[in-house]
DNA sequence: TTGACAACCGAACCCATGTTCGTCTATACT
DNA sequence: AGTATAGACGAACATGGGTTCGGTTGTCAA
């Protein structure tokens, strides 16, 4: 979470107001109420800053829902008893930095500054112990990952790494074919065996020199 | 305050729902949501009973304010503290009540005991808005769900329901074949089309009489 | 039978409220 | 100067969601 002091004064005031209003009324304020009480004259500016606060991890929003705000925790410096709760955060927020499909390499986090808008909350067990700061997510485009039992729209959670242990599922870029694929990794010395997750499909064997590991697959999430 | 037991069953359900929804979301439900979740078909009836509850002292309302509800205290019989603590939780715990494979019907939660050991934490977005109390999880055994793009070991999150809308992914028990399958549901009048998630596989058509819906698939989780 | 009343229904109505968009300013970098 | 970007503004838009109203059903007592 971004440092509270790094937020703009406006944003801090907004958080304080939201906390206070919610405590006073039992339900959160509207965008217009937030604006009126923090000296903002336009609903769009409130909306803009609310999204900033979501990105910074201070609250969550429900789209198209009136008063659909929720603080993720107490506002620093307040005496609010607003559910301190999940300080022990059993989940974390990781960025969805782009899409994955067969014909292009897998994006990796510092390839470019990613769109902060798209974050996903995942429970820690989906990260398999990986430090959340090393994890990122990609959304699958197209049906090219079918042999990995992964569909269009699935969200694949990766850990950034360029080596793999046998049995890991990895994203590899095959430099000779200019193709990305998700397979189980098995180093057999002179060659690498890439085993599809689909039990009826045959492995492929590649030269280690054309096999660039781009990340390790930690988990897959599918919304229906 | 009027005795809680003097309230109608509906009114008690409404209070319970309001408390639970507020705890789950951080803001109160709308009149329509209350109706949908307590079996009331008209907003005016919800409104009517909300006013009754105000008279009875159980809640206060703000006129012309969406979600302008507030409970005056914990609802008798509920675990109010738990709700308060979970107030900002963006995830919930749902039970893993068993396994799913082709040759047996899908287990359905009986309201009784779950093994506390087998619970899984999921972020709310995996439930697609479903009340967490209506959700449960099953672990996939065997490779029989391959046509649904689901592997051994995947965790499938269901919602308990016996009907489906077109386009839902459902677990169905085919009484003539004694077989469970996961497919997209399309009612075509005289027959039901069950479409595999796998894009290269053909749908099957079944008689509505042999097609027993056991639950709706909300999401799938795969740990690697 | 009739009237009063509690409970309920469905649809219409319309304000409440989130979202989008074109525009503007200030600042920083090239 | 020219361009990019963050922050802000206000108006228009579309939908969310509370309110109202005419009508129905069932119960109870006069």
């Amino acid at each position: 979470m971004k440092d509270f002091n790094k937020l703009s004064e406006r944003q801090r005031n907004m958080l304080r107001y939201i906390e206070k209003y919610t405590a006073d009324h039992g339900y959160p304020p509207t965008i217009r109420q937030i604006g009126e009480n923090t000296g903002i004259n336009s609903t769009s500016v409130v909306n803009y800053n609310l999204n900033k606060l979501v990105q910074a991890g201070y609250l969550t929003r429900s789209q198209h829902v009136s008063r659909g705000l929720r603080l993720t925790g107490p506002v620093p410096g307040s005496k609010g008893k607003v559910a301190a709760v999940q300080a022990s955060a059993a989940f974390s927020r990781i960025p969805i930095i782009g899409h994955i499909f067969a014909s292009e390499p897998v994006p990796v986090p510092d390839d470019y500054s990613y769109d902060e808008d798209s974050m996903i909350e995942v429970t820690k067990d989906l990260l398999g112990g990986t430090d959340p700061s090393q994890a990122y997510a990609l959304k699958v485009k197209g049906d090219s990952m079918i042999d990995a039992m992964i569909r269009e729209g699935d969200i694949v959670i990766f850990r950034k790494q360029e080596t793999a242990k046998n049995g890991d599922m990895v994203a590899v870029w095959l430099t000779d074919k200019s193709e990305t694929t998700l397979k189980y990794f098995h180093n057999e010395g002179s060659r690498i065996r890439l085993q599809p997750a689909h039990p009826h499909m045959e492995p492929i064997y590649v030269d280690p020199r054309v096999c660039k590991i781009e990340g390790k697959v930690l988990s897959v999430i599918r919304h229906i």
Side-chain angles (χ1 to χ4, degrees), chain A residues 162-168 170 172 174 183-195 203-213:
Chain A
E162 298 183 355
T163 59
K165 291 199 294 286
N166 286 348
D168 286 352
V170 292
V172 297
L174 301 175
K183 296 278 195 308
Y184 285 103
F185 176 91
H186 293 275
N187 188 335
E188 299 185 341
S190 61
R191 64 182 187 179
I192 289 171
R193 173 164 58 92
L194 296 174
Q195 183 80 39
I204 64 174
Y205 297 90
V206 301
D207 187 304
R209 283 165 299 185
V210 305
C211 177
K212 181 166 182 300
I213 295 172

Side-chain angles (χ1 to χ4, degrees), chain A residues 56-67:
Chain A
Y58 284 92
L59 47 80
T60 60
R61 296 185 74 186
S62 304
Q63 301 240 317
H64 302 285
V65 168
S66 48
R67 304 169 189 272

Side-chain angles (χ1 to χ4, degrees), chain A residues 176-188:
Chain A
D176 56 341
K177 297 181 192 165
S178 289
E179 180 185 318
T180 290
T181 184
L182 297 179
K183 296 278 195 308
Y184 285 103
F185 176 91
H186 293 275
N187 188 335
E188 299 185 341

Side-chain angles (χ1 to χ4, degrees), chain A residues 7-8 10-19 28-35 38 40 42-62 65 67-71 93 117:
Chain A
L7 300 174
S8 73
R10 264 194 175 174
Q11 287 163 1
R12 288 195 291 273
N13 283 336
M14 285 171 61
L15 285 178
R16 294 189 194 105
Y17 177 72
I18 292 168
E19 182 180 54
T30 67
I31 281 185
R32 285 172 179 79
Q33 288 172 323
I34 296 170
T38 55
I40 298 176
S42 171
T43 58
S44 65
V45 176
V46 177
N47 186 52
Y48 172 85
N49 282 292
L50 282 178
N51 287 333
K52 288 287 173 195
L53 289 169
V54 171
Q55 288 165 26
Y58 284 92
L59 47 80
T60 60
R61 296 185 74 186
S62 304
V65 168
R67 304 169 189 272
L69 301 174
R70 140 178 277 176
L71 294 172
R93 306 175 78 248
D117 288 332

